[in-house]
Amino acid sequence: SLVVHEFAHAWMAKMFGDNTSEWSGRLTLNPVVHMDPLGTVVFPMISIIFGGIFFGWARPVPIDTRQFRSYRSGLFWVSFAGPLSNLILGFLSAIVFVAFVKFVPQSSSIYGFFNAFLQSLIIWNFSLAIFNLLPIPPLDGSNMVLSFLNYNAAQKFMAIQQFSFFLILFLAFSGAFRILAYPIYFLREVSLAIASMFFGFA
């Protein structure tokens, strides 16, 4: 999910005329090149060992907004591409999950594992999408907001970026992010309902 998220940023940037990610070898689905030692290894391991909220990230792809054919449109769509890719993956995961439940018998040895795996895949993709849409620099949502601001407003808005990492950690470990569960589970239910209709479930 993280790899597809970063690939989507790189691909959309290329569509708007910026080849920086491609030249850097990041326009790829190879997970190794998108790994961040701290965000992809250390923080997830801490979460697994000590419990609590699962937190992590991939290495952001390099983007040069000066190369965009249209700055505002490019900034918006390149930023939105990551969360959008996770929304799409979430819906695709729901379709695969419903198909799995319909066609694979519960007595199968693989049923329990893949049932849990696919349900987790749905939740994690929608979680990544909703989280990254938050308007907190440097999350994707902040750049989407930035695309609508004039220069002075943008400078004031980006001034909070120096505190963003600590703000995100505070919100994560204080439990404030629990409110995000509402849109995440809403998307899960909607995607499962649509997938069920597709396969003819009542």
Side-chain angles (χ1 to χ4, degrees), residues 11 16 21 23-24 49 63 68 79 82 87 89 103-105 113 137 146 152 156 180 183 194 202:
W11 180 83
F16 276 90
S21 297
W23 293 337
S24 302
I49 295 171
I63 302 294
F68 291 162
S79 301
L87 289 173
L89 280 178
F103 297 112
V104 177
F113 172 80
L146 203 61
N152 291 331
K156 293 177 181 178
L180 300 182
I194 294 174

PDB file of all heavy atoms in Angstrom, residues 11 16 21 23-24 49 63 68 79 82 87 89 103-105 113 137 146 152 156 180 183 194 202:
ATOM      1  N   TRP A  11       4.149   8.812 -10.628  1.00  0.00           N
ATOM      2  CA  TRP A  11       3.511   8.678 -11.939  1.00  0.00           C
ATOM      3  C   TRP A  11       2.740   9.941 -12.299  1.00  0.00           C
ATOM      4  O   TRP A  11       2.827  10.436 -13.426  1.00  0.00           O
ATOM      5  CB  TRP A  11       2.578   7.471 -11.933  1.00  0.00           C
ATOM      6  CG  TRP A  11       1.876   7.268 -13.256  1.00  0.00           C
ATOM      7  CD1 TRP A  11       2.372   6.636 -14.356  1.00  0.00           C
ATOM      8  CD2 TRP A  11       0.574   7.738 -13.603  1.00  0.00           C
ATOM      9  NE1 TRP A  11       1.449   6.662 -15.377  1.00  0.00           N
ATOM     10  CE2 TRP A  11       0.342   7.331 -14.938  1.00  0.00           C
ATOM     11  CE3 TRP A  11      -0.422   8.431 -12.921  1.00  0.00           C
ATOM     12  CZ2 TRP A  11      -0.861   7.625 -15.597  1.00  0.00           C
ATOM     13  CZ3 TRP A  11      -1.616   8.716 -13.581  1.00  0.00           C
ATOM     14  CH2 TRP A  11      -1.817   8.313 -14.905  1.00  0.00           C
ATOM     15  N   PHE A  16       2.409  15.412 -15.243  1.00  0.00           N
ATOM     16  CA  PHE A  16       2.386  16.868 -15.250  1.00  0.00           C
ATOM     17  C   PHE A  16       3.728  17.478 -15.668  1.00  0.00           C
ATOM     18  O   PHE A  16       3.921  18.679 -15.539  1.00  0.00           O
ATOM     19  CB  PHE A  16       1.964  17.398 -13.875  1.00  0.00           C
ATOM     20  CG  PHE A  16       0.469  17.456 -13.693  1.00  0.00           C
ATOM     21  CD1 PHE A  16      -0.223  16.376 -13.180  1.00  0.00           C
ATOM     22  CD2 PHE A  16      -0.247  18.594 -14.062  1.00  0.00           C
ATOM     23  CE1 PHE A  16      -1.605  16.423 -13.027  1.00  0.00           C
ATOM     24  CE2 PHE A  16      -1.625  18.651 -13.912  1.00  0.00           C
ATOM     25  CZ  PHE A  16      -2.316  17.558 -13.398  1.00  0.00           C
ATOM     26  N   SER A  21      11.233  12.099 -10.180  1.00  0.00           N
ATOM     27  CA  SER A  21      11.088  10.793  -9.534  1.00  0.00           C
ATOM     28  C   SER A  21      11.572   9.664 -10.432  1.00  0.00           C
ATOM     29  O   SER A  21      12.215   8.716  -9.969  1.00  0.00           O
ATOM     30  CB  SER A  21       9.618  10.555  -9.152  1.00  0.00           C
ATOM     31  OG  SER A  21       9.193  11.501  -8.207  1.00  0.00           O
ATOM     32  N   TRP A  23      13.860   9.920 -12.837  1.00  0.00           N
ATOM     33  CA  TRP A  23      15.323  10.012 -12.909  1.00  0.00           C
ATOM     34  C   TRP A  23      15.974   9.498 -11.628  1.00  0.00           C
ATOM     35  O   TRP A  23      17.115   9.030 -11.646  1.00  0.00           O
ATOM     36  CB  TRP A  23      15.734  11.457 -13.157  1.00  0.00           C
ATOM     37  CG  TRP A  23      15.338  11.988 -14.506  1.00  0.00           C
ATOM     38  CD1 TRP A  23      15.067  11.259 -15.632  1.00  0.00           C
ATOM     39  CD2 TRP A  23      15.154  13.356 -14.868  1.00  0.00           C
ATOM     40  NE1 TRP A  23      14.716  12.073 -16.672  1.00  0.00           N
ATOM     41  CE2 TRP A  23      14.765  13.381 -16.242  1.00  0.00           C
ATOM     42  CE3 TRP A  23      15.278  14.562 -14.186  1.00  0.00           C
ATOM     43  CZ2 TRP A  23      14.508  14.562 -16.926  1.00  0.00           C
ATOM     44  CZ3 TRP A  23      15.020  15.741 -14.871  1.00  0.00           C
ATOM     45  CH2 TRP A  23      14.636  15.738 -16.226  1.00  0.00           C
ATOM     46  N   SER A  24      15.253   9.590 -10.516  1.00  0.00           N
ATOM     47  CA  SER A  24      15.774   9.124  -9.230  1.00  0.00           C
ATOM     48  C   SER A  24      15.519   7.637  -9.003  1.00  0.00           C
ATOM     49  O   SER A  24      15.833   7.113  -7.937  1.00  0.00           O
ATOM     50  CB  SER A  24      15.141   9.931  -8.088  1.00  0.00           C
ATOM     51  OG  SER A  24      15.384  11.312  -8.239  1.00  0.00           O
ATOM     52  N   ILE A  49       6.255  -4.472  18.823  1.00  0.00           N
ATOM     53  CA  ILE A  49       6.803  -4.941  20.096  1.00  0.00           C
ATOM     54  C   ILE A  49       6.037  -4.398  21.293  1.00  0.00           C
ATOM     55  O   ILE A  49       5.690  -5.141  22.221  1.00  0.00           O
ATOM     56  CB  ILE A  49       8.296  -4.556  20.205  1.00  0.00           C
ATOM     57  CG1 ILE A  49       9.109  -5.303  19.136  1.00  0.00           C
ATOM     58  CG2 ILE A  49       8.837  -4.890  21.599  1.00  0.00           C
ATOM     59  CD1 ILE A  49      10.558  -4.832  19.032  1.00  0.00           C
ATOM     60  N   ILE A  63       9.926  15.453  -5.785  1.00  0.00           N
ATOM     61  CA  ILE A  63       9.070  16.177  -6.727  1.00  0.00           C
ATOM     62  C   ILE A  63       9.633  17.587  -6.919  1.00  0.00           C
ATOM     63  O   ILE A  63       9.985  18.255  -5.946  1.00  0.00           O
ATOM     64  CB  ILE A  63       7.620  16.273  -6.207  1.00  0.00           C
ATOM     65  CG1 ILE A  63       7.026  14.878  -5.962  1.00  0.00           C
ATOM     66  CG2 ILE A  63       6.754  17.076  -7.172  1.00  0.00           C
ATOM     67  CD1 ILE A  63       6.833  14.049  -7.207  1.00  0.00           C
ATOM     68  N   PHE A  68       6.278  21.414 -13.313  1.00  0.00           N
ATOM     69  CA  PHE A  68       4.882  21.182 -13.657  1.00  0.00           C
ATOM     70  C   PHE A  68       4.441  22.121 -14.781  1.00  0.00           C
ATOM     71  O   PHE A  68       4.759  23.312 -14.770  1.00  0.00           O
ATOM     72  CB  PHE A  68       3.968  21.408 -12.450  1.00  0.00           C
ATOM     73  CG  PHE A  68       4.110  20.386 -11.355  1.00  0.00           C
ATOM     74  CD1 PHE A  68       3.641  20.658 -10.074  1.00  0.00           C
ATOM     75  CD2 PHE A  68       4.693  19.155 -11.598  1.00  0.00           C
ATOM     76  CE1 PHE A  68       3.754  19.728  -9.062  1.00  0.00           C
ATOM     77  CE2 PHE A  68       4.823  18.218 -10.593  1.00  0.00           C
ATOM     78  CZ  PHE A  68       4.347  18.507  -9.324  1.00  0.00           C
ATOM     79  N   SER A  79      -0.384  15.535  -5.310  1.00  0.00           N
ATOM     80  CA  SER A  79      -0.593  15.299  -3.881  1.00  0.00           C
ATOM     81  C   SER A  79      -1.752  14.322  -3.648  1.00  0.00           C
ATOM     82  O   SER A  79      -1.685  13.450  -2.780  1.00  0.00           O
ATOM     83  CB  SER A  79      -0.889  16.625  -3.163  1.00  0.00           C
ATOM     84  OG  SER A  79       0.171  17.532  -3.335  1.00  0.00           O
ATOM     85  N   GLY A  82      -1.564   9.979  -4.244  1.00  0.00           N
ATOM     86  CA  GLY A  82      -1.234   8.969  -3.229  1.00  0.00           C
ATOM     87  C   GLY A  82      -2.459   8.474  -2.494  1.00  0.00           C
ATOM     88  O   GLY A  82      -2.756   7.265  -2.495  1.00  0.00           O
ATOM     89  N   LEU A  87      -7.375   4.678  -1.852  1.00  0.00           N
ATOM     90  CA  LEU A  87      -8.828   4.523  -1.940  1.00  0.00           C
ATOM     91  C   LEU A  87      -9.179   3.455  -2.971  1.00  0.00           C
ATOM     92  O   LEU A  87     -10.034   2.597  -2.721  1.00  0.00           O
ATOM     93  CB  LEU A  87      -9.490   5.852  -2.317  1.00  0.00           C
ATOM     94  CG  LEU A  87      -9.492   6.947  -1.252  1.00  0.00           C
ATOM     95  CD1 LEU A  87     -10.025   8.255  -1.836  1.00  0.00           C
ATOM     96  CD2 LEU A  87     -10.323   6.529  -0.042  1.00  0.00           C
ATOM     97  N   LEU A  89      -7.194   0.998  -4.017  1.00  0.00           N
ATOM     98  CA  LEU A  89      -6.754  -0.294  -3.479  1.00  0.00           C
ATOM     99  C   LEU A  89      -7.728  -0.816  -2.431  1.00  0.00           C
ATOM    100  O   LEU A  89      -7.975  -2.025  -2.335  1.00  0.00           O
ATOM    101  CB  LEU A  89      -5.358  -0.172  -2.873  1.00  0.00           C
ATOM    102  CG  LEU A  89      -4.171  -0.192  -3.829  1.00  0.00           C
ATOM    103  CD1 LEU A  89      -2.868  -0.017  -3.058  1.00  0.00           C
ATOM    104  CD2 LEU A  89      -4.134  -1.494  -4.619  1.00  0.00           C
ATOM    105  N   PHE A 103     -16.485 -17.653  -2.818  1.00  0.00           N
ATOM    106  CA  PHE A 103     -16.034 -18.815  -3.585  1.00  0.00           C
ATOM    107  C   PHE A 103     -15.107 -19.775  -2.831  1.00  0.00           C
ATOM    108  O   PHE A 103     -14.872 -20.887  -3.294  1.00  0.00           O
ATOM    109  CB  PHE A 103     -15.324 -18.346  -4.865  1.00  0.00           C
ATOM    110  CG  PHE A 103     -16.221 -17.589  -5.800  1.00  0.00           C
ATOM    111  CD1 PHE A 103     -16.021 -16.237  -6.020  1.00  0.00           C
ATOM    112  CD2 PHE A 103     -17.275 -18.229  -6.444  1.00  0.00           C
ATOM    113  CE1 PHE A 103     -16.843 -15.519  -6.875  1.00  0.00           C
ATOM    114  CE2 PHE A 103     -18.105 -17.526  -7.305  1.00  0.00           C
ATOM    115  CZ  PHE A 103     -17.904 -16.168  -7.519  1.00  0.00           C
ATOM    116  N   VAL A 104     -14.564 -19.347  -1.691  1.00  0.00           N
ATOM    117  CA  VAL A 104     -13.664 -20.229  -0.938  1.00  0.00           C
ATOM    118  C   VAL A 104     -14.401 -20.758   0.295  1.00  0.00           C
ATOM    119  O   VAL A 104     -14.880 -19.970   1.117  1.00  0.00           O
ATOM    120  CB  VAL A 104     -12.385 -19.477  -0.497  1.00  0.00           C
ATOM    121  CG1 VAL A 104     -11.495 -20.391   0.344  1.00  0.00           C
ATOM    122  CG2 VAL A 104     -11.628 -18.972  -1.715  1.00  0.00           C
ATOM    123  N   PRO A 105     -14.504 -22.060   0.452  1.00  0.00           N
ATOM    124  CA  PRO A 105     -15.223 -22.632   1.601  1.00  0.00           C
ATOM    125  C   PRO A 105     -14.499 -22.356   2.921  1.00  0.00           C
ATOM    126  O   PRO A 105     -13.267 -22.304   2.964  1.00  0.00           O
ATOM    127  CB  PRO A 105     -15.245 -24.135   1.294  1.00  0.00           C
ATOM    128  CG  PRO A 105     -14.102 -24.354   0.354  1.00  0.00           C
ATOM    129  CD  PRO A 105     -13.993 -23.100  -0.458  1.00  0.00           C
ATOM    130  N   PHE A 113      -6.571 -17.312   7.391  1.00  0.00           N
ATOM    131  CA  PHE A 113      -5.480 -16.356   7.154  1.00  0.00           C
ATOM    132  C   PHE A 113      -5.876 -15.293   6.137  1.00  0.00           C
ATOM    133  O   PHE A 113      -5.714 -14.095   6.382  1.00  0.00           O
ATOM    134  CB  PHE A 113      -4.230 -17.092   6.669  1.00  0.00           C
ATOM    135  CG  PHE A 113      -3.133 -16.165   6.214  1.00  0.00           C
ATOM    136  CD1 PHE A 113      -2.297 -15.549   7.138  1.00  0.00           C
ATOM    137  CD2 PHE A 113      -2.951 -15.886   4.859  1.00  0.00           C
ATOM    138  CE1 PHE A 113      -1.292 -14.679   6.721  1.00  0.00           C
ATOM    139  CE2 PHE A 113      -1.954 -15.019   4.439  1.00  0.00           C
ATOM    140  CZ  PHE A 113      -1.124 -14.419   5.377  1.00  0.00           C
ATOM    141  N   PRO A 137       1.069  19.796   7.267  1.00  0.00           N
ATOM    142  CA  PRO A 137       2.331  19.603   6.533  1.00  0.00           C
ATOM    143  C   PRO A 137       3.189  18.551   7.221  1.00  0.00           C
ATOM    144  O   PRO A 137       3.241  18.522   8.445  1.00  0.00           O
ATOM    145  CB  PRO A 137       2.987  20.992   6.604  1.00  0.00           C
ATOM    146  CG  PRO A 137       1.868  21.940   6.873  1.00  0.00           C
ATOM    147  CD  PRO A 137       0.892  21.169   7.730  1.00  0.00           C
ATOM    148  N   LEU A 146      -2.528  23.819  -0.131  1.00  0.00           N
ATOM    149  CA  LEU A 146      -1.534  24.789  -0.598  1.00  0.00           C
ATOM    150  C   LEU A 146      -1.784  25.198  -2.049  1.00  0.00           C
ATOM    151  O   LEU A 146      -1.508  26.337  -2.439  1.00  0.00           O
ATOM    152  CB  LEU A 146      -0.138  24.177  -0.459  1.00  0.00           C
ATOM    153  CG  LEU A 146       1.066  25.133  -0.356  1.00  0.00           C
ATOM    154  CD1 LEU A 146       0.936  26.007   0.884  1.00  0.00           C
ATOM    155  CD2 LEU A 146       2.350  24.319  -0.298  1.00  0.00           C
ATOM    156  N   ASN A 152       1.439  34.646   0.096  1.00  0.00           N
ATOM    157  CA  ASN A 152       1.501  35.038   1.511  1.00  0.00           C
ATOM    158  C   ASN A 152       0.782  34.045   2.409  1.00  0.00           C
ATOM    159  O   ASN A 152       1.286  33.658   3.463  1.00  0.00           O
ATOM    160  CB  ASN A 152       0.910  36.445   1.704  1.00  0.00           C
ATOM    161  CG  ASN A 152       1.787  37.520   1.092  1.00  0.00           C
ATOM    162  OD1 ASN A 152       3.000  37.371   1.009  1.00  0.00           O
ATOM    163  ND2 ASN A 152       1.166  38.611   0.653  1.00  0.00           N
ATOM    164  N   LYS A 156       2.416  31.461   5.432  1.00  0.00           N
ATOM    165  CA  LYS A 156       1.894  31.361   6.796  1.00  0.00           C
ATOM    166  C   LYS A 156       1.452  29.934   7.108  1.00  0.00           C
ATOM    167  O   LYS A 156       1.688  29.422   8.201  1.00  0.00           O
ATOM    168  CB  LYS A 156       0.726  32.328   6.978  1.00  0.00           C
ATOM    169  CG  LYS A 156       1.121  33.793   6.910  1.00  0.00           C
ATOM    170  CD  LYS A 156      -0.089  34.705   7.025  1.00  0.00           C
ATOM    171  CE  LYS A 156       0.314  36.166   6.923  1.00  0.00           C
ATOM    172  NZ  LYS A 156      -0.855  37.073   6.994  1.00  0.00           N
ATOM    173  N   LEU A 180     -10.770   9.458  13.210  1.00  0.00           N
ATOM    174  CA  LEU A 180     -10.607   9.058  11.819  1.00  0.00           C
ATOM    175  C   LEU A 180     -11.230   7.698  11.547  1.00  0.00           C
ATOM    176  O   LEU A 180     -11.436   7.331  10.384  1.00  0.00           O
ATOM    177  CB  LEU A 180      -9.118   9.015  11.451  1.00  0.00           C
ATOM    178  CG  LEU A 180      -8.337  10.321  11.577  1.00  0.00           C
ATOM    179  CD1 LEU A 180      -6.894  10.117  11.142  1.00  0.00           C
ATOM    180  CD2 LEU A 180      -8.983  11.428  10.759  1.00  0.00           C
ATOM    181  N   PRO A 183     -14.742   7.889   9.217  1.00  0.00           N
ATOM    182  CA  PRO A 183     -14.707   7.818   7.746  1.00  0.00           C
ATOM    183  C   PRO A 183     -14.060   6.539   7.220  1.00  0.00           C
ATOM    184  O   PRO A 183     -14.454   6.038   6.159  1.00  0.00           O
ATOM    185  CB  PRO A 183     -13.888   9.057   7.342  1.00  0.00           C
ATOM    186  CG  PRO A 183     -13.085   9.411   8.552  1.00  0.00           C
ATOM    187  CD  PRO A 183     -13.958   9.048   9.710  1.00  0.00           C
ATOM    188  N   ILE A 194     -20.933  -2.335  -2.029  1.00  0.00           N
ATOM    189  CA  ILE A 194     -20.843  -2.283  -3.494  1.00  0.00           C
ATOM    190  C   ILE A 194     -20.316  -3.599  -4.046  1.00  0.00           C
ATOM    191  O   ILE A 194     -20.836  -4.136  -5.035  1.00  0.00           O
ATOM    192  CB  ILE A 194     -19.942  -1.115  -3.928  1.00  0.00           C
ATOM    193  CG1 ILE A 194     -20.595   0.221  -3.562  1.00  0.00           C
ATOM    194  CG2 ILE A 194     -19.665  -1.180  -5.435  1.00  0.00           C
ATOM    195  CD1 ILE A 194     -19.706   1.420  -3.814  1.00  0.00           C
ATOM    196  N   ALA A 202     -27.246 -10.646  -1.231  1.00  0.00           N
ATOM    197  CA  ALA A 202     -28.433  -9.900  -0.795  1.00  0.00           C
ATOM    198  C   ALA A 202     -27.998  -8.816   0.176  1.00  0.00           C
ATOM    199  O   ALA A 202     -27.028  -8.964   0.885  1.00  0.00           O
ATOM    200  CB  ALA A 202     -29.422 -10.842  -0.125  1.00  0.00           C
TER     201      ALA A 202
END
